Amino acid sequence: VSVFTSITAEQAASWLKPYSLGTLLSCEGISAGVQNSNFFLSTTHGVYVLTIFEQLTHNELPFYVNLMAHLARHGIPCPTPLADGDGDYLGELGGKPAIVVSRLPGNSLDKPNAAHCAAVGRMLAELHIAAQPYPAQQKHQRDAAWCRATAVQIEAFLNPDELVLLRKELRYQARYRPHDLPRGIIHADLFRDNVLFDGDQLSGLLDFYFAGVDDWLFDIAVTVNDWCSLDDGALDAEKSRALLGAYHAKRPLSASERIAWPTMLRAAALRFWLSRLADFHRPRTGNLVSRRDPTQYRTILEARIAAGKTQPWLAAARRGS
Amino acid sequence: VSVFTSITAEQAASWLKPYSLGTLLSCEGISAGVQNSNFFLSTTHGVYVLTIFEQLTHNELPFYVNLMAHLARHGIPCPTPLADGDGDYLGELGGKPAIVVSRLPGNSLDKPNAAHCAAVGRMLAELHIAAQPYPAQQKHQRDAAWCRATAVQIEAFLNPDELVLLRKELRYQARYRPHDLPRGIIHADLFRDNVLFDGDQLSGLLDFYFAGVDDWLFDIAVTVNDWCSLDDGALDAEKSRALLGAYHAKRPLSASERIAWPTMLRAAALRFWLSRLADFHRPRTGNLVSRRDPTQYRTILEARIAAGKTQPWLAAARRGS
């Protein structure tokens, strides 16, 4: 169980007092979080999730917490922060910032089918649209500039093949990634383990703590790379067509976005290859819990480069417009 | 199906456009509302409830709609209003005010047991506490003054026995109902059909359109009269003890509230006897849909009067304090 902070039932019960959430029945650590400690709090009213933040600070959190409240208000099925008696979302537990959010029904899928991918694509477009009126703007922290800075820090750990691949891709991105694509708040980490399905119904989007302003297309590319990659790193044509088509039906992709798509898939693969390399080689500054194999995203990056510029789902998106 | 306004699937689909709630799959009238028309909207995201207001106006609605949003934010399981792209809850459909709210799980219970009554009592206390920081204040519309005014209007329709009972009770209330009880926003209509249970878990409170500021104790009395009355109008001792005890555990009743309890049970019975008499004799100005038998609440009022001032559950509340 990847919980950093442990709490007693007494601490949890006392924490709950200023809330209108009933009386605590039980408190159980959850293994899901990587930057936070999460607990299921079962009360006489229902089940809630208590999140204790291990890395984000009191100053950084309002952007994310208010974003979740905003999105929930607009019907996006994301965890809703619950306010205490003073109307505040953010509290403190054991000297760390903490919040209580609603628990969403459903489970994440390891092997989604094309219909699941379509549901994710449609919801991602809804998320982009619903986030537009959100007043606070904060840049996506793991953007192209972060990729360049992180590359410098981890180059020393790479073998010659990796170094060539990394430098070539950074050059390619600097040259070909457009600077004028439609932007807005993106989730930036919509992997399968951050999406819940209740039966065939998409029932939840989780973990908004990477969210920030960047190209919408980047968010789609992050999502497609995780949901639609085959074991060899290549794209599953049916699933990526389903995801992209459903997104496009809700927010039509512009001509410049369609042209940029192969480049953006590479940008998204690069970002996760880099963060996994950094977690692997510099574990103290990165993800403390699950050191994922960096080669998975190297394989995906190489597959996207190899796929070049003719993509069957692009034609599908064009036909759909 | 008690739906006044009928809408087409095209109207519902077009209504949904400014929301991030997916694409409409189906639209179905619901029989629950009495002052509103309600529809289940099934979309690619889930199921929502569309409410079209038949009586409340655009000026009157923000108090209720923002109250539901406030309570949901504090963890009370009530319908959450969903905002459109402009961030507004209230819209217009067919010239009438309308909102979309979340659908809550569960069903209402016709024959609750003592554990269900305890859950309702506990939640009612949570509701009173959670509503305290709500900034808007509006008086409960069916308060003691409304009772006096309505009595004048329906006296002409009553038989001599009813007239004596009504006048005596109005005199009794004027003399003995205290003016200094703890007050706040009350639900004012927490009948069994406004509470949902999902298994044994209380999963929803519905219909906040009678809510307003009045004595908290009045809200408890309205609830006990509906949840804990036997067929002859007398109180079920076990159920009323459970409801009151659970409420008291969350918000302890004051000494003056305990003394006022028998009087308040009569006040709550009077209020519903009067509204049912008014609906029955003046159907055009009252509830257009379900004309409930007024004699049920006359029976309850007579039973409360007969029960006098020694109440077993009062002793229980005292012991619990």
Side-chain angles (χ1 to χ4, degrees), chain B residues 163-217:
Chain B
L163 198 57
V164 168
L165 175 64
L166 177 58
R167 288 187 172 165
K168 277 182 68 171
E169 188 59 24
L170 286 167
R171 257 199 315 276
Y172 178 89
Q173 289 295 326
R175 185 169 303 169
Y176 292 109
R177 182 169 166 181
H179 294 286
D180 56 355
L181 295 176
R183 304 165 68 74
I185 290 177
I186 67 170
H187 182 284
D189 194 34
L190 203 59
F191 279 50
R192 283 161 292 171
D193 54 358
N194 283 333
V195 178
L196 302 178
F197 278 87
D198 192 1
D200 280 334
Q201 179 74 48
L202 196 164
S203 57
L205 303 181
L206 305 177
D207 204 353
F208 284 76
Y209 302 106
F210 283 111
V213 175
D214 205 337
D215 298 330
W216 278 333
L217 195 68

Side-chain angles (χ1 to χ4, degrees), chain A residues 216-289:
Chain A
W216 279 332
L217 196 68
F218 180 81
D219 216 9
I220 313 174
V222 167
T223 309
V224 163
N225 277 342
D226 182 68
W227 287 75
C228 311
S229 288
L230 300 166
D231 285 346
D232 65 359
L235 281 181
D236 180 307
E238 187 200 358
K239 291 182 186 173
S240 49
R241 201 184 299 122
L243 198 155
L244 215 62
Y247 183 99
H248 183 73
K250 183 73 196 174
R251 186 188 72 78
L253 297 172
S254 69
S256 56
E257 285 181 300
R258 288 178 220 168
I259 292 165
W261 178 241
T263 303
M264 201 58 89
L265 282 170
R266 292 167 62 165
L270 175 64
R271 173 256 179 269
F272 283 94
W273 184 38
L274 277 168
S275 65
R276 291 188 180 185
L277 283 171
D279 289 345
F280 193 80
H281 294 297
R282 302 178 309 158
R284 281 184 205 182
T285 58
N287 176 343
L288 292 164
V289 177

Side-chain angles (χ1 to χ4, degrees), chain A residues 19-22 45, chain B residues 67-68 70-72 74-78 119-134 184-190 194-195 202 204-208 211-212 216 219-220 223 247 250-251:
Chain A
Y19 293 86
S20 301
L21 301 175
H45 283 201
Chain B
L67 175 62
M68 290 191 286
H70 170 92
L71 293 172
H74 284 80
I76 302 295
C78 64
V120 169
R122 186 161 46 219
M123 188 63 83
L124 186 60
E126 301 262 17
L127 168 65
H128 290 167
I129 292 167
Q132 280 194 283
Y134 184 62
I185 290 177
I186 67 170
H187 182 284
D189 194 34
L190 203 59
N194 283 333
V195 178
L202 196 164
L205 303 181
L206 305 177
D207 204 353
F208 284 76
W216 278 333
D219 216 8
I220 313 175
T223 309
Y247 183 97
K250 183 74 196 174
R251 187 188 72 78

